[in-house]
Amino acid sequence: MKFLRKSIYAAIILLFLMFVDGLSLNVVKAAEETSLPVYYVRFSEQGLPIYQEPALLTPIAILCDDTYVQIVLGPLDSLVKIRIYGTEIEGYTDVKYLKKLDAIVYDYDIYTYEEMEEDILLLYAKYPTLLRVDTAGTSADGRNLYTLTIGNENASKHILIHAGLHAREYINTLLVMEQLEQCLDYYDTGYYHNQSYRELFSSVAVHIIPMVNPDGIAISQFGESALRSSELVEIVRACYAYDSAMRRTKSSYERYLARWKANARGVDLNKNFPVGFVFDGTVSQPSYAGYAGEFPLSEPESLSLGAVTLLYQPSIIINYHSMGEVAYWDTSESKYTAINREFSTYMLSFVPYKRMGRGSASGSYLDWIYSGETPVRSITLETGNVACPLPPDQYPKIWLQHNMVVQAAVWYAYAGI
């Protein structure tokens, strides 16, 4: 199990800290007595500067990746005061470069449905009073469609964040799961724009659907062998025959499946919503991408996402897709262009993505939510800058760009802008 591997790894690191770099057993005990958890530096490339004061003027130290530290104060927005582990050196730095040593959400290669499910159970066991876990149905191949809630579920303001609608964009599931754990980890110590996390989440509920399309993701990651249903395997094979005959692909079967976007029934879930649904589109039958389905909301995954949306009536929705480092924010048929222009401008002030133009309705989730009676502010953030599925080396940049997205959205809802 991944949890066992991580536990062994953490134990080895702690033993290592006891015997190397001149650390005495007394120092380790003193650190333990402070009850401050250990973090490590990552994704810093040239090293992480530490500053004497919050003004961040002249660094007093540069920490390389895998240096161990403890958080003494914060985070205050993205700023934390840290102590270098086993020393008396303290200073301020950016929290996005720190990862908890015993963090639950951790990826060894690709982030799978099974890893996600295990992480959900471990997070709930660790934070039972802060995290709510629901399932809004099952996929065609029998996988749970999870919705995770942090914050006051009876609050008047709700935010919905989802990832993994398109199969080959599965790197975003890891992102939103790590965002969730970060909010849980700092729930009692963090502040954003002078409001404590506890205060923010007492007024706003955040609902996260980390993997809208688990069957399609399994196909993209492991091919047809990941499917449990022989009937679905036959559908996938028929998709390849159709796409090859129509010259929609020249790839090998293995490469074709790696680039899979649809669910296991060959339906592109982001074309399966009612507004702008195309009955006679250019893709007339199940395919790896582009087929809208027999009728709107025909698929358990799109139906589940739609049901969660209707249940909570979120005022803010963040849609994670890949690729291009661009942002979609409106459609020409949208009823909420004015408020969404303000919200998207706010989000893009710290996520450095290019704002795209307004398209026409084509059966997407975005088209559907912009047609509803509940005013909604939404942005679609397209992570990564190479072809999907994104390789693991894309993740560090993605995390550094998006580590404060949830907190920023919660504050925006809380402030009632």
Side-chain angles (χ1 to χ4, degrees):
M1 291 177 62
K2 183 173 67 170
F3 177 68
L4 179 60
R5 294 199 302 270
K6 286 192 290 189
S7 297
I8 293 172
Y9 175 73
I12 291 172
I13 293 298
L14 289 175
L15 287 172
F16 177 80
L17 289 172
M18 292 169 62
F19 294 108
V20 302
D21 292 337
L23 295 180
S24 69
L25 197 57
N26 290 333
V27 171
V28 175
K29 287 180 179 179
E32 291 172 347
E33 289 172 358
T34 66
S35 299
L36 295 175
V38 178
Y39 294 75
Y40 63 94
V41 178
R42 64 171 184 164
F43 303 160
S44 66
E45 294 187 355
Q46 302 302 317
L48 179 62
I50 308 298
Y51 301 87
Q52 187 72 50
E53 301 294 338
L56 308 183
L57 296 176
T58 303
I60 59 173
I62 304 293
L63 305 184
C64 62
D65 282 359
D66 297 323
T67 301
Y68 296 93
V69 303
Q70 293 173 293
I71 294 179
V72 177
L73 178 67
L76 311 174
D77 292 349
S78 63
L79 194 67
V80 284
K81 185 176 184 180
I82 60 98
R83 177 184 303 132
I84 301 174
Y85 191 89
T87 77
E88 298 300 318
I89 300 174
E90 294 186 355
Y92 293 86
T93 193
D94 194 325
V95 71
K96 66 187 177 185
Y97 294 102
L98 304 182
K99 177 80 169 177
K100 202 170 185 180
L101 184 60
D102 62 349
I104 289 170
V105 179
Y106 184 85
D107 181 48
Y108 291 93
D109 185 10
I110 56 174
Y111 196 63
T112 67
Y113 169 82
E114 290 75 19
E115 285 185 310
M116 178 197 72
E117 191 168 53
E118 182 181 354
D119 287 348
I120 289 171
L121 295 174
L122 292 171
L123 286 171
Y124 181 71
K126 187 173 183 179
Y127 303 102
T129 63
L130 301 182
L131 179 63
R132 173 171 171 168
V133 179
D134 295 297
T135 57
T138 56
S139 67
D141 205 34
R143 294 174 175 84
N144 289 327
L145 303 174
Y146 287 102
T147 301
L148 312 177
T149 300
I150 178 175
N152 179 8
E153 59 193 82
N154 297 315
S156 60
K157 298 176 180 179
H158 295 259
I159 294 172
L160 177 61
I161 301 171
H162 70 84
L165 189 69
H166 283 148
R168 66 192 187 190
E169 300 166 15
Y170 51 80
I171 200 169
N172 296 316
T173 295
L174 172 61
L175 172 64
V176 299
M177 287 294 293
E178 186 165 2
Q179 288 173 333
L180 171 64
E181 184 173 21
Q182 182 193 61
C183 290
L184 292 167
D185 184 25
Y186 300 136
Y187 198 92
D188 289 317
T189 62
Y191 284 78
Y192 195 83
H193 289 10
N194 297 318
Q195 295 294 335
S196 70
Y197 280 26
R198 183 168 287 276
E199 168 63 20
L200 291 171
F201 284 111
S202 70
S203 304
V204 181
V206 177
H207 312 281
I208 298 175
I209 304 177
M211 191 177 285
V212 177
N213 182 11
D215 296 350
I217 286 175
I219 293 170
S220 180
Q221 291 176 338
F222 301 111
E224 68 171 42
S225 64
L227 293 175
R228 306 160 181 175
S229 164
S230 58
E231 179 181 348
L232 292 175
V233 171
E234 291 305 313
I235 290 176
V236 169
R237 291 175 179 175
C239 289
Y240 183 58
Y242 166 73
D243 286 327
S244 296
M246 297 297 293
R247 298 183 179 179
R248 301 190 72 238
T249 184
K250 295 181 179 180
S251 299
S252 67
Y253 186 49
E254 181 181 23
R255 178 59 181 161
Y256 171 82
L257 295 183
R259 301 194 71 249
W260 191 267
K261 289 182 68 176
N263 71 351
R265 286 162 36 89
V267 175
D268 188 328
L269 298 175
N270 210 30
K271 293 183 177 294
N272 192 234
F273 288 86
V275 177
F277 182 85
V278 178
F279 291 94
D280 56 348
T282 56
V283 185
S284 60
Q285 66 184 63
S287 167
Y288 83 104
Y291 176 58
E294 295 182 0
F295 52 88
L297 300 175
S298 62
E299 305 308 297
E301 300 90 351
S302 53
L303 190 62
S304 173
L305 176 57
V308 171
T309 305
L310 293 175
L311 175 64
Y312 294 116
Q313 298 289 305
S315 59
I316 291 176
I317 298 177
I318 297 173
N319 318 276
Y320 272 114
H321 283 265
S322 296
M323 62 173 184
E325 296 189 345
V326 298
Y328 295 94
W329 67 283
D330 199 28
T331 65
S332 57
E333 296 86 359
S334 173
K335 297 165 63 175
Y336 307 112
T337 297
I339 61 173
N340 206 43
R341 180 181 288 109
E342 295 177 0
F343 173 68
S344 60
T345 298
Y346 166 73
M347 296 301 292
L348 292 176
S349 67
F350 55 90
V351 178
Y353 284 4
K354 177 183 177 181
R355 183 197 297 269
M356 301 302 286
R358 304 166 68 205
S360 296
S362 58
S364 74
Y365 176 72
L366 201 63
D367 299 323
W368 179 63
I369 63 173
Y370 284 153
S371 69
E373 296 306 314
T374 301
V376 61
R377 298 155 177 83
S378 180
I379 190 167
T380 299
L381 297 167
E382 299 268 356
T383 63
N385 57 16
V386 298
C388 292
L390 300 178
D393 62 11
Q394 287 276 298
Y395 186 72
K397 184 179 181 182
I398 292 171
W399 170 252
L400 297 178
Q401 292 169 334
H402 295 268
N403 74 99
M404 283 287 162
V405 162
V406 177
Q407 294 91 323
V410 170
W411 179 83
Y412 194 94
Y414 175 87
I417 297 175

